[in-house]
Amino acid sequence: MEILGIDVGGSALKGAIVDVQSGKMLTERVRIATPEGGKPEDMAQVAGQIVEQLNWKGPIGCGFPAVVKKGVSYSAANVDKSWIGTSVSELFSKYTHCPVYTANDADVAGLAEMEFGAGKEYYNDVVLILTLGTGIGTALFSEGHLMPNMELGHIEIRGKDAEKRASAAQRTNKKLSYRRWAEHLQEYLEHMEALINPDVIILGGGISKDADKFMQYLNTRAKLLTAVLLNQAGIVGAAMYAKQQLSAAENTAKS
């Protein structure tokens, strides 16, 4: 089964057609910069451009950087505040002319990493997956079950949201060396271990491709791994989420 996955981020919207059985992307990734300000209509237009470029007609899964319930955004950390209370699914459907199924971006990335990536061997454990990008996305799994919308990147450390110190964007913005940035990330990981005591921590997001530059500076009680799917996890997981929702609707119709 093929589904289009769209990963919405603070810096760009990315999309590709995914084989949800294998977790493989069937097309090259389309990447379009997030419009300045991250306003709803502007971002929905970009989603429409991705669909047009891929010549797609069919279901779409979307990972969105917010607390998302039934397709509606209930927060807006790295996008415009007018997203709060907006149905991402309905707005994106309007501009893509396709059915859209939306969940938290880190949650869907976590689904992909647990099914096809570094987490697939740890279904019996408590697994924390971090997506390090514009912010810090978090997905928490216990025995394979997702605890949705955890948003642990917003815990307070030294009077600031953790992602304002330890996200990948902060390393770039503050021109930190990998070693110096890793000190900030280490502090965040220590807070995570104190709060939830995971068995496994998986570091994902775009910066995970540079893991050899900072992993040696990190030390955790939990088993510390880098993501296998890297920054493709958001796209693959979004498509997987849409498949889950379609299957659930089909089962409900049969019962």
Side-chain angles (χ1 to χ4, degrees):
M1 184 178 187
E2 298 178 7
I3 295 178
L4 173 61
I6 295 179
D7 181 16
V8 178
S11 59
L13 282 78
K14 296 151 284 188
I17 298 170
V18 177
D19 178 343
V20 291
Q21 266 68 47
S22 66
K24 303 293 185 184
M25 286 172 34
L26 302 176
T27 62
E28 291 293 322
R29 185 184 68 161
V30 174
R31 183 186 191 279
I32 301 176
T34 300
E36 186 175 353
K39 295 182 182 298
E41 297 285 339
D42 295 338
M43 293 176 72
Q45 288 179 14
V46 172
Q49 292 171 28
I50 291 173
V51 169
E52 185 176 349
Q53 288 190 35
L54 291 169
N55 193 28
W56 177 252
K57 295 179 181 178
I60 298 172
C62 175
F64 192 80
V67 170
V68 179
K69 297 181 179 181
K70 298 181 179 179
V72 177
S73 174
Y74 284 86
S75 64
N78 294 303
V79 291
D80 191 77
K81 299 301 181 186
S82 59
W83 274 109
I84 298 173
T86 297
S87 174
V88 183
S89 293
E90 290 182 5
L91 185 60
F92 277 28
S93 291
K94 174 183 174 182
Y95 279 86
T96 61
H97 307 291
C98 298
V100 177
Y101 304 88
T102 308
N104 174 269
D105 57 344
D107 285 350
V108 299
L111 291 175
E113 200 63 38
M114 290 297 290
E115 183 71 21
F116 300 113
K120 63 183 180 181
E121 297 180 12
Y122 300 99
Y123 256 72
N124 294 324
D125 297 303
V126 175
V127 180
L128 175 65
I129 299 175
L130 306 178
T131 56
L132 303 168
T134 304
I136 297 177
T138 61
L140 183 63
F141 292 81
S142 178
E143 297 184 348
H145 298 288
L146 171 68
M147 318 296 182
N149 292 308
M150 293 297 289
E151 292 287 85
L152 295 171
H154 297 296
I155 68 164
E156 187 175 299
I157 297 178
R158 298 178 186 263
K160 295 182 179 180
D161 267 15
E163 66 178 27
K164 300 301 183 185
R165 291 179 50 79
S167 70
Q170 289 302 306
R171 188 196 72 82
T172 302
N173 295 340
K174 295 181 179 179
K175 299 180 180 179
L176 301 175
S177 67
Y178 279 99
R179 183 167 190 164
R180 182 74 179 105
W181 172 72
E183 292 176 4
H184 293 185
L185 181 57
Q186 174 68 32
E187 185 177 25
Y188 174 70
L189 294 175
E190 289 171 1
H191 275 73
M192 289 297 94
E193 293 205 292
L195 282 171
I196 58 179
N197 196 30
D199 301 302
V200 180
I201 299 174
I202 300 172
L203 303 183
I207 202 167
S208 55
K209 69 181 184 298
D210 296 324
D212 60 327
K213 298 178 181 178
F214 61 84
M215 286 290 283
Q216 65 268 34
Y217 304 124
L218 302 174
N219 182 34
T220 58
R221 297 190 305 274
K223 189 175 186 66
L224 187 63
L225 304 171
T226 54
V228 171
L229 298 179
L230 305 177
N231 61 350
Q232 294 183 5
I235 293 173
V236 174
M240 288 175 60
Y241 177 74
K243 176 179 178 289
Q244 287 181 356
Q245 296 305 299
L246 288 166
S247 297
E250 184 178 341
N251 291 336
T252 299
K254 289 179 179 178
S255 62

